[in-house]
DNA sequence: CCCACTTTGTGCGTGCTTTCACAAGCACGT
DNA sequence: ACGTGCTTGTGAAAGCACGCACAAAGTGGG
């Protein structure tokens, strides 16, 4: 028995690569706006803030889209990355929790440009419901299932207080949404097959503080080396 | 020639560990609020959403703060992690670009709780300057150097449009700020020794879209295996 | 037609991360 | 005083990710 047909090309793009593709895409679109037709890995890498070998290896996972001696055709690469990321289709997004942050996201224009469309805003507060934010009516959270179905929502964004986030996530999942972006500072528990990403400003600040403290320590670390370590 | 002295024990906490410490800290504080006195690595790991061996190895980088057979004393661990992250001191934060997002951040109460204090708000728009947001006067960006000095700002947050972000970053650096949190969708260029972290919602959505598309593909992939691959 | 030059795609070594699995250590009951 | 049971801390192995360095492949000039 043949162990396996040579597996033409297992569709396995490393997670680290996936996370960088959007960065490349943005750099490429900026080049495109400036009318650039082709770009070398060196130049694109520099625009994206990464090592050029890394960039080439990343792109090689999508296929062999460069021309040796020349570089990459900007427009073609934009298309290939967009397709790989799924940006050639339209994604309907629902935001739950229309407070400070939810409103900022709703009013932000930068999403529509890349295949993401804010399709619904939901909140639990009766005061909030019915208000118009960014040309959308805020609906009551009880309509979540209806809204998801009728608008074809496939990505859910959670900007409620931490205490409500798990409940909202569960309702999203039950309604069939399996991609969630969470801004609330809690670990969400979801079934396998559901993809949760979190954005946590507080964590970012704490990481910055750690490094800042280390830099500061370094300056006066002579004392520590001299013997203060014997606590 | 010896390639390198054996490096006794550089105070090296792995970057991946540093990024998780804030998550552990939050889980611990939640336990503390509920009056829990000690916690096992298994339970804490589960609350933080990680593997318990990973959690133990992470904590072991800070020292040996657990008790075999019992677990970790919650309060003591909170203190140790806070100290390691530099949260026992007070960090003054300046936000530049008081638009949708900048305002949301300024109004957010969740920072003060962990040693971060929003010390100044800055904007370039004359309409904005002088307004009061979250009990702070918005100052003109031209005062950045003054404000950094007088308020002792050590962390800069950038929420301006992409086009202005690099300029603001450079001014931050020149004013002596070497920790920057950037929300604008651009790659910032800064000298060595300056720590930049970025938060990019658009990238997060694109990563979600990639995985969502892959899941959808999988469902109907039979066709692909059957021969559609011969592009 | 060939040569010099440029740039891609990738094999390979290195170091970081994760996970397993278990000896060592501590508390507590007897 | 000692054994039992639980949990930590950490070797060791496996898996990823990164970046160097170079052969392969294309361009363009003569
Ligand atoms: N504002 C920020 O800059 C910021 C920064 C970091 C993190 N966060 C996090 O983002 C989340 C939102 O922050 P915010 O400042 O916008 O808070 P907010 O209080 O201004 O808004 C929260 C909104 O969620 C609604 N809500 C509460 N429970 C709900 C439920 N069960 N279903 C639907 N809606 C519900 C509330 O009515 C309110 O409108 C919080 O978890 C916060 O910790 C915010
Ligand atoms: N709002 C969101 O939800 C969201 C989401 C993702 C990314 N972002 C990014 O965050 C940034 C801010 O978004 P926003 O929606 O708040 O934009 P905004 O236009 O509402 O606010 C930008 C503010 O920056 C000020 N500004 C412009 N140039 C400046 C300068 N040189 N110095 C100081 N201030 C200056 C403007 O006066 C304005 O008040 C943008 O880069 C955006 O791409 C925002």
């Amino acid at each position: 028995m043949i162990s396996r047909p040579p597996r033409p090309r297992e569709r396995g793009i490393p997670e680290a690569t996936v996370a960088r593709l959007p960065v490349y895409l943005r750099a490429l679109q900026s080049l495109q706006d400036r009318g650039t037709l082709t770009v070398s890995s060196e130049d694109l890498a520099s625009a994206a803030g990464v090592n050029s070998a890394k960039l080439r290896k990343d792109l090689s996972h999508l296929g062999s889209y460069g021309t040796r001696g020349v570089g990459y055709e900007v427009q073609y690469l934009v298309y290939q990355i967009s397709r790989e990321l799924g940006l050639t289709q339209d994604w309907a997004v629902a935001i739950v929790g229309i407070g400070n942050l939810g409103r900022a996201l709703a009013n932000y224009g930068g999403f529509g440009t890349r295949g993401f469309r804010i399709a619904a805003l939901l909140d639990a507060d009766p005061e909030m419901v019915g208000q118009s934010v960014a040309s959308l009516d805020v609906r009551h959270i009880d309509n979540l299932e209806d809204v998801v179905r009728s608008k074809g929502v496939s990505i859910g964004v959670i900007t409620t207080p931490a205490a409500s986030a798990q409940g909202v996530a569960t309702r999203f999942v039950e309604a069939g949404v399996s991609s969630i972006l969470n801004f609330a500072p809690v670990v969400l528990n979801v079934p396998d097959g559901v993809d949760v990403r979190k954005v946590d400003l507080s964590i970012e600040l704490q990481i910055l503080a750690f490094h800042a403290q280390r830099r500061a320590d370094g300056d006066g670390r002579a004392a520590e080396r001299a013997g203060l370590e014997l606590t």
Side-chain angles (χ1 to χ4, degrees), chain A:
Chain A
M1 189 200 202
I2 303 164
S3 64
R4 184 76 64 136
R7 179 76 56 165
R9 167 71 71 166
E10 181 67 32
R11 215 34 115 91
I13 299 183
E15 196 51 37
T17 295
V18 172
R20 282 187 295 265
L21 289 179
V23 179
Y24 303 154
L25 185 56
R26 195 136 62 198
L28 283 165
Q29 278 164 337
S30 156
L31 288 169
Q32 200 170 30
D33 292 346
R34 262 177 281 152
T36 312
L37 295 180
T38 64
V39 65
S40 70
S41 65
E42 199 64 56
D43 290 352
L44 181 54
S46 149
V50 302
N51 176 298
S52 71
K54 181 151 67 181
L55 179 127
R56 287 196 298 276
K57 191 159 285 183
D58 283 342
L59 294 184
S60 77
H61 287 111
L62 311 190
S64 211
Y65 297 142
T67 308
R68 295 170 190 227
V70 177
Y72 300 88
E73 192 191 334
V74 173
Q75 192 173 8
Y76 186 56
L77 202 49
V78 164
Y79 170 71
Q80 290 298 341
I81 295 180
S82 298
R83 193 179 49 76
E84 196 65 52
L85 287 173
L87 306 183
T88 49
Q89 56 190 284
D90 187 80
W91 299 94
V93 177
I95 302 177
V96 176
I98 312 304
N100 289 314
L101 191 55
R103 239 188 311 267
L105 293 180
N107 281 310
Y108 179 53
F111 294 140
T113 63
R114 300 226 205 304
F116 299 100
R117 187 171 39 82
I118 299 187
L121 307 179
L122 300 149
D123 202 294
D125 183 352
E127 296 276 315
M128 212 51 233
V129 174
Q131 283 190 34
S132 178
V133 173
S135 330
L136 281 171
D137 279 348
V138 176
R139 305 281 307 270
H140 191 274
I141 182 72
D142 285 348
N143 301 314
L144 188 140
E145 289 75 10
D146 284 349
V147 167
V148 164
R149 199 164 351 98
S150 64
K151 306 277 188 181
V153 169
S154 50
I155 298 181
V157 174
I158 300 179
T159 51
T160 65
S164 316
Q166 177 64 62
V168 172
T170 303
R171 293 188 64 177
F172 263 138
V173 171
E174 281 169 1
V177 174
S178 46
S179 302
I180 293 177
L181 183 54
N182 178 35
F183 287 83
V186 282
V187 175
L188 294 183
N189 246 308
V190 294
D192 280 2
V194 176
D195 192 9
V196 175
R197 296 192 64 86
K198 70 166 193 286
V199 173
D200 195 318
L201 316 187
S202 182
I203 287 181
E204 299 301 325
L205 286 178
Q206 289 175 53
I207 296 172
L208 283 174
F210 171 84
H211 291 302
Q213 176 178 246
R214 158 160 308 194
R215 277 194 302 271
D217 276 7
D219 297 345
R221 176 161 306 197
E224 195 182 336
R225 282 208 208 84
L228 273 177
E229 196 103 304
L230 49 96
T231 317

